[in-house]
Amino acid sequence: MRNWLRNLRKNNHLTQQEIANKMDMSLKTYNLIELGKRQKDLNLSTAIKLSQIFDISLEKIKYFENYEQRQEKEAQDKINAAMKGLNENV
């Protein structure tokens, strides 16, 4: 999930539909992007549109994306380690 994108949208008092309209895409497509289920790696044209809508740099978008990916990887690594420990004790 792209929490950074959801938070940015909400902090700007915009709905998903409003962002989808500004990006010239369907609500479903935007929703999947915000959930991280579409464009696992945000493509450049989407990143450019988001930077224009929210008036932020592409570098900041890249930072947000990388930060969330690291957080997700660390969480998954902890789950995997816990599961490995459980399996070794069985």
Side-chain angles (χ1 to χ4, degrees), residues 48-63:
I48 290 170
K49 288 178 184 177
L50 290 171
S51 75
Q52 293 168 342
I53 291 167
F54 294 113
D55 192 29
I56 60 174
S57 68
L58 288 172
E59 289 80 16
K60 188 161 259 185
I61 289 174
K62 185 176 180 180
Y63 171 81

Side-chain angles (χ1 to χ4, degrees), residues 57-88:
S57 68
L58 288 172
E59 289 80 16
K60 188 161 259 185
I61 289 174
K62 185 176 180 180
Y63 171 81
F64 290 147
E65 281 285 287
N66 289 339
Y67 179 80
E68 281 204 356
Q69 288 173 356
R70 282 192 311 273
Q71 295 292 94
E72 289 174 10
K73 183 181 182 319
E74 288 173 9
Q76 189 61 50
D77 288 348
K78 287 179 183 178
I79 291 169
N80 291 343
M83 294 300 291
K84 183 179 178 185
L86 287 174
N87 289 336
E88 289 174 355

Side-chain angles (χ1 to χ4, degrees), residues 1 3 24-25 27-28 30 35 41 45 56 64 72 79 87 90:
M1 179 169 207
N3 290 317
D24 196 30
M25 62 177 55
L27 173 60
K28 182 174 181 166
Y30 176 77
L35 290 173
D41 294 320
S45 65
I56 60 174
F64 290 147
E72 289 174 10
I79 291 169
N87 289 336
V90 173

Side-chain angles (χ1 to χ4, degrees), residues 13-50:
H13 309 288
L14 295 167
T15 66
Q16 287 186 338
Q17 185 65 65
E18 289 170 319
I19 299 297
N21 291 346
K22 290 175 184 281
M23 295 184 70
D24 196 30
M25 62 177 55
S26 72
L27 173 60
K28 182 174 181 166
T29 299
Y30 176 77
N31 178 263
L32 292 172
I33 290 171
E34 192 171 289
L35 290 173
K37 295 183 178 184
R38 185 172 181 131
Q39 294 186 22
K40 292 284 184 188
D41 294 320
L42 205 59
N43 72 40
L44 184 58
S45 65
T46 300
I48 290 170
K49 288 178 184 177
L50 290 171

